[in-house]
Amino acid sequence: MSAETLHASATSVLEGWITPSEHDESLRHTMLAFLDSAPDGCLRRHAPGHITASSLVLDESGRHVLLTLHPRVGRWIQLGGHCEPEDNSVVDSALREAREESGIHDLRIDPTLLSAHTHPITCSLGVPTRHLDLRFLVVAPDNSPIVRSEESTDLRWWPVDALPESAERETIDHLVALARTRLDQD
């Protein structure tokens, strides 16, 4: 449980990711190069950028997605956030964030990377930085009650085919399609 174990887990997850496109393969190599140059790259204190861990939370039926209305972003997005030094791995970070932000404790996470994304943001550091987001699939029992955390303006289950107007629709639609493909393979 340290910067080293988080770093090793992020590297391992990215090395094992079978990417679905040339774009994702390029992003995978970029993130691995970033990690090669940034021993603290999984912790928010690394101001030039850092790995974050997020979760696409679907219910067991695959018909509903849990989204948070993010106060800084101002849009409905998947759950997630910063890795913490106490996390054993980036998978643990994603699961911890999903539990904290949803109030659901009996979640199941698929430890295989679902997707990755990078974006500029001014996060809790208060300075412009870059999030290199590793995204995982998390499944919640159908009809799971939710509890909004202080990190969210709102939290709701949405039908996957009826997302709110202010959702990051393209991103959520893409993640849901990837998740459904994965769930169909299991």
Side-chain angles (χ1 to χ4, degrees):
M1 293 172 284
S2 65
E4 293 82 20
T5 59
L6 280 167
H7 190 282
S9 73
T11 300
S12 177
V13 162
L14 284 162
E15 287 174 343
W17 185 27
I18 299 171
T19 56
S21 70
E22 286 183 29
H23 169 77
D24 287 325
E25 184 64 13
S26 177
L27 180 58
R28 184 178 82 85
H29 283 281
T30 299
M31 287 182 162
L32 286 167
F34 165 78
L35 287 167
D36 281 346
S37 69
D40 282 347
C42 290
L43 299 176
R44 80 176 84 204
R45 70 180 178 224
H46 191 264
H50 39 271
I51 297 288
T52 54
S54 64
S55 300
L56 177 73
V57 180
L58 293 177
D59 64 1
E60 296 240 355
S61 72
R63 290 182 292 194
H64 297 91
V65 60
L66 185 61
L67 299 178
T68 181
L69 183 56
H70 195 281
R72 288 184 190 202
V73 177
R75 300 187 75 179
W76 290 95
I77 61 174
Q78 76 278 356
L79 309 183
H82 291 101
C83 299
E84 299 294 343
E86 302 80 31
D87 296 328
N88 287 319
S89 68
V90 292
V91 173
D92 290 345
S93 296
L95 186 57
R96 176 187 48 74
E97 285 286 338
R99 286 177 174 153
E100 287 176 0
E101 292 183 10
S102 71
I104 305 169
H105 294 283
D106 53 345
L107 297 171
R108 292 187 333 268
I109 190 166
D110 182 339
T112 304
L113 191 61
L114 181 65
S115 175
H117 186 263
T118 182
H119 53 273
I121 191 167
T122 299
C123 66
S124 58
L125 290 174
V127 297
T129 186
R130 179 161 290 280
H131 281 176
L132 294 91
D133 196 30
L134 302 180
R135 296 169 169 174
F136 297 89
L137 172 60
V138 171
V139 177
D142 285 339
N143 303 310
S144 290
I146 54 175
V147 178
R148 182 182 61 83
S149 76
E150 294 176 2
E151 298 177 36
S152 176
T153 303
D154 200 353
L155 179 73
R156 292 187 199 171
W157 285 108
W158 293 94
V160 295
D161 57 354
L163 298 176
E165 286 300 316
S166 64
E168 289 189 347
R169 293 176 94 82
E170 187 175 316
T171 299
I172 302 301
D173 287 343
H174 177 69
L175 291 172
V176 168
L178 290 172
R180 285 183 165 168
T181 299
R182 181 163 304 161
L183 291 170
D184 288 345
Q185 293 171 353
D186 291 344

